Amino acid sequence: MSDLIQGLRNLHVLVVLPREQSADDLIQQVNRIGCQVDHSWPLPKTFQEKYDLVFLDVTDQNSEKLNQFINSSSKKQTIVAVVGYENPSMLELIFDIKAHSVLNKPIRASGVMTSMLLGQKIQSERFQFRKDLKALKDKLENVQKVNDAKFILMRHRKINDREAYALIRKQAMAKRTNTADISQAIINAESILSDFGDT
Amino acid sequence: MGNWKIGLLFSETGVTSIIEKSQLNGALLAIDQINENGGVLGHKIEPVRYDPGSVDQKYGELSEKLITEHKVKIIFGCYTSSSRKEVLPIIERRNALFFYPTLYEGFEYSSNVIYGGACPNQNSVPLGNYLMENYGKRLFFVGSDYIYPRESNRVMRNVVRQAGGEVLGEVYFDLEAKEIDFAAVTKEINRLKPDAIFSTVVGQSCIEFYKAYLAASGDGTTCPIASLTTNEGEIAAIGPEASAGHITAAPYFRSIESSANQKFLEAYAKKFGTTVDVTSGCETAYSQVHIFARALEETGEIDTDKLREALLGTSYDAPQGQIKIDPDNNHTYLQSRIAKVDAYGEFIIQSQVRRAIKPDPYLVFPTIYDLSFRSLDVAGGVRLDE
């Protein structure tokens, strides 16, 4: 968390709000906090990668257009939704665009820094969770593959579990690849051979 | 049309009364001066005074009372951050204008507040630099237990770390702490032998702490207590023996030699009979009332939005030197000085930053390498004979 606070001043912030009192108040407060800030309205076509965080006015917008804007950047960026009222369709919109934090209009100076840091925290955690989840899924798939390949070898060669695994590893090392790839190859070969019907 | 009514919310009783009475006097002096000169646009300024007794909650209640019962829209007051945080929502809701004449830890902005005291980039950074250059890099932190000391120590810890220094300990005490309560920490200080002590102990317990340090044979000339809040008022109460050698960083000291300060001190002595309790908080309250009166002269009416417009960007020749209200954040460009207490209990200025420093209330981690925060030695110190 202290890393986020420490990095606060390095943030490059985009404010996407119609130019009215709230936009002015928000821009001034972000300036006071010491961040670089740009303003853009109406909603730009693309979300430039130089920005780390965007305050996005979602009042009277649709999720399709907003998501198009958000997804136009491949970088991980923090989305703070700025809302004028909190009815169910507005809330649904906030969920739709996967906002990391929310700020209410009219803007008060106190609360802006919290929404920025909270958004950053949620965004970075969500990013990390997604990465961890993908790594876990991949790992699980690989374990499953190696297991399947081991059973094939055990059946064909009349060897035990440990010997089967040793074989797969030896092949992986010889071919400079990993056990998952070798296992996949064994599974493929097995399926081709069984299609010949001569097992 | 009657008088211009303004509210004054300073504690004349309780643990922070020493400093707040000094701030109150500063405000009263300025009001006197303005009224003697015919007031503002022919009408006198009329203070409505309340004593919150150093109780945080009372500041909130009394500011509400000032606004609703006395129809006051302008309030000067508060010393501790916790008391300011009580007043803040009330003046915002009622769109009143609040002048806060005290240094604080930053991280705040309200369009309804004019901040007159130093924030960390204007005092912590120059002080940290000075201590490590002149005494050494091993520091010990002692503070009162509330918002300001904790935040102030966070900043100072970072300044120390950047210079390759070390914080040997960090201890907090109740605002009501007595001399005896500090016995354990002075013992610990004696054992660890730091190069300097950074103190954020405020109010009555500040006096108790300096006395406890002397009682434990702590010596200001070898290992000083450095503070941002211990000023002339406290030093007078601590006495010369227990305060000699200790250091404070502030925008203003009574011993500044300048005609503006000379005039201020003379007027103060004439009204209150002494200048013993003239502090930087007192000078700030004094200047803020004058700045307000000048803005009022421009607007001709007490209207928060119009007054704010007139105040932002305005500069004023204060006793400390020229100051200016920063239109970006309602805080004030201030002088930065470091002074050491001499054998007679007077602050002698050791070094100062050449020009008023721009306030930066949201500076998360001030960098000590920023040259604009470096103070320069003052040749021979400055002493004003009273």
Side-chain angles (χ1 to χ4, degrees):
Chain A
M1 188 63 208
S2 73
D3 283 358
L4 289 177
I5 294 176
Q6 200 148 4
L8 184 65
R9 292 214 147 184
N10 302 328
L11 292 183
H12 202 151
V13 176
L14 179 66
V15 169
V16 182
L17 254 77
R19 194 83 204 213
E20 53 182 26
Q21 190 62 41
S22 272
D24 285 350
D25 290 346
L26 180 57
I27 290 166
Q28 278 171 17
Q29 182 61 13
V30 176
N31 251 324
R32 239 172 249 132
I33 290 171
C35 303
Q36 268 199 70
V37 55
D38 293 324
H39 173 258
S40 187
W41 188 262
L43 183 71
K45 282 253 161 359
T46 55
F47 190 7
Q48 290 181 47
E49 304 218 334
K50 66 176 177 179
Y51 296 114
D52 304 297
L53 184 147
V54 62
F55 286 100
L56 193 53
D57 194 336
V58 300
T59 320
D60 306 325
Q61 298 275 343
N62 66 60
S63 62
E64 200 181 326
K65 263 175 76 184
L66 290 170
N67 272 324
Q68 223 168 52
F69 164 73
I70 292 165
N71 296 330
S72 67
S73 168
S74 56
K75 205 179 128 191
K76 54 176 186 119
Q77 285 153 310
T78 304
I79 317 291
V80 181
V82 179
V83 304
Y85 37 86
E86 43 187 6
N87 59 22
S89 53
M90 176 68 82
L91 293 170
E92 209 172 304
L93 184 58
I94 295 167
F95 295 144
D96 270 355
I97 64 164
K98 300 186 182 68
H100 303 105
S101 186
V102 173
L103 200 60
N104 283 292
K105 283 202 285 192
I107 307 281
R108 279 187 72 229
S110 131
V112 171
M113 188 159 82
T114 309
S115 76
M116 289 169 75
L117 286 175
L118 181 67
Q120 284 249 292
K121 172 99 174 135
I122 303 266
Q123 187 273 337
S124 86
E125 273 181 2
R126 208 184 273 174
F127 181 78
Q128 193 56 44
F129 285 153
R130 219 177 286 146
K131 233 171 90 178
D132 291 351
L133 195 65
K134 189 177 179 308
L136 274 174
K137 264 187 188 159
D138 288 352
K139 179 137 196 221
L140 202 65
E141 254 172 44
N142 289 343
V143 167
Q144 191 56 46
K145 261 185 213 164
V146 173
N147 266 339
D148 287 352
K150 272 194 316 196
F151 284 128
I152 294 168
L153 288 179
M154 284 159 72
R155 238 179 315 124
H156 281 272
R157 297 270 177 119
K158 312 259 181 287
I159 52 179
N160 69 22
D161 175 279
R162 277 180 60 190
E163 289 162 330
Y165 184 69
L167 259 181
I168 294 170
R169 269 201 63 189
K170 205 174 144 199
Q171 278 295 316
M173 273 156 77
K175 299 219 157 62
R176 293 181 188 284
T177 176
N178 55 39
T179 51
D181 285 349
I182 294 296
S183 299
Q184 187 64 56
I186 294 169
I187 295 161
N188 292 347
E190 156 83 352
S191 110
I192 291 166
L193 290 178
S194 64
D195 282 351
F196 291 150
D198 60 359
T199 39
Chain B
M1 195 174 80
N3 293 338
W4 307 108
K5 277 213 261 184
I6 62 169
L8 298 181
L9 209 52
F10 294 106
S11 288
E12 297 167 57
T13 54
V15 289
T16 53
S17 59
I18 295 188
I19 171 72
E20 296 198 43
K21 269 194 277 188
S22 146
Q23 292 177 305
L24 173 66
N25 284 353
L28 290 175
L29 174 62
I31 293 168
D32 267 14
Q33 288 179 340
I34 294 158
N35 288 343
E36 273 164 28
N37 274 321
V40 178
L41 302 171
H43 301 277
K44 291 210 151 64
I45 292 184
E46 180 189 328
V48 184
R49 238 163 96 176
Y50 274 114
D51 173 13
S54 306
V55 180
D56 287 343
Q57 208 193 334
K58 282 255 173 197
Y59 288 84
E61 290 167 10
L62 290 172
S63 59
E64 180 90 53
K65 195 167 171 169
L66 280 169
I67 296 169
T68 52
E69 280 182 31
H70 298 277
K71 310 287 174 220
V72 162
K73 290 283 258 183
I74 310 292
I75 301 174
F76 293 80
C78 289
Y79 176 69
T80 61
S81 288
S82 7
S83 63
R84 186 189 65 257
K85 301 271 186 204
E86 295 283 331
V87 175
L88 209 64
I90 292 156
I91 51 132
E92 282 193 346
R93 195 169 56 231
R94 308 259 180 203
N95 197 26
L97 198 57
F98 182 70
F99 289 82
Y100 179 57
T102 313
L103 69 136
Y104 85 114
E105 68 280 1
F107 296 98
E108 196 181 283
Y109 164 82
S110 164
S111 55
N112 295 80
V113 181
I114 302 292
Y115 302 82
C119 48
N121 78 299
Q122 294 169 311
N123 56 15
S124 298
V125 180
L127 180 63
N129 263 326
Y130 181 82
L131 288 178
M132 286 183 283
E133 270 172 22
N134 291 280
Y135 292 91
K137 294 185 170 175
R138 297 168 67 248
L139 269 59
F140 195 99
F141 291 179
V142 185
S144 294
D145 200 0
Y146 71 106
I147 315 168
Y148 164 73
R150 287 188 180 274
E151 189 58 36
S152 179
N153 280 339
R154 185 192 64 81
V155 170
M156 192 55 96
R157 182 179 281 276
N158 199 265
V159 170
V160 172
R161 210 177 273 156
Q162 284 178 62
E166 192 186 347
V167 180
L168 302 180
E170 184 171 339
V171 191
Y172 294 95
F173 289 89
D174 207 75
L175 273 164
E176 270 89 32
K178 294 272 175 280
E179 188 175 330
I180 185 140
D181 300 318
F182 292 104
V185 74
T186 51
K187 205 171 148 194
E188 179 72 354
I189 289 167
N190 276 337
R191 190 179 69 80
L192 292 169
K193 296 197 175 28
D195 297 317
I197 300 154
F198 178 53
S199 164
T200 43
V201 180
V202 305
Q204 191 60 38
S205 60
C206 161
I207 295 149
E208 306 281 330
F209 173 51
Y210 281 63
K211 285 185 173 164
Y213 186 59
L214 178 74
S217 50
D219 181 3
T221 54
T222 53
C223 172
I225 301 174
S227 163
L228 304 168
T229 45
T230 307
N231 51 46
E232 287 87 343
E234 279 95 355
I235 293 295
I238 293 164
E241 200 197 350
S243 55
H246 297 313
I247 289 170
T248 295
Y252 172 85
F253 290 99
R254 187 174 49 194
S255 58
I256 291 168
E257 266 186 355
S258 72
S259 62
N261 188 38
Q262 192 83 44
K263 268 197 258 171
F264 167 59
L265 290 176
E266 275 164 19
Y268 193 96
K270 206 174 137 207
K271 183 168 166 66
F272 299 106
T274 170
T275 57
V276 155
D277 59 343
V278 172
T279 62
S280 71
C282 164
E283 188 251 13
T284 307
Y286 170 83
S287 302
Q288 284 201 309
V289 170
H290 274 296
I291 294 175
F292 156 72
R294 268 196 358 199
L296 181 59
E297 204 156 305
E298 216 178 299
T299 61
E301 60 175 312
I302 292 197
D303 175 279
T304 300
D305 298 331
K306 286 182 184 160
L307 280 169
R308 187 194 302 112
E309 269 314 297
L311 285 163
L312 295 184
T314 193
S315 53
Y316 176 73
D317 284 316
Q320 65 172 275
Q322 196 181 63
I323 59 174
K324 178 184 157 190
I325 300 177
D326 190 340
D328 295 341
N329 54 35
N330 291 19
H331 289 60
T332 309
Y333 278 75
L334 295 171
Q335 306 290 324
S336 173
R337 297 183 168 93
I338 291 160
K340 194 197 278 187
V341 183
D342 71 3
Y344 308 99
E346 183 63 80
F347 278 112
I348 306 297
I349 294 162
Q350 305 293 316
S351 88
Q352 62 184 20
V353 178
R354 288 304 283 266
R355 57 193 77 79
I357 301 180
K358 180 181 162 71
D360 191 355
Y362 285 92
L363 186 53
V364 191
F365 289 108
T367 135
I368 64 160
Y369 303 109
D370 190 329
L371 290 177
S372 61
F373 298 151
R374 290 199 96 72
S375 56
L376 294 173
D377 290 353
V378 173
V382 186
R383 188 181 161 85
L384 189 76
D385 292 315
E386 281 180 43

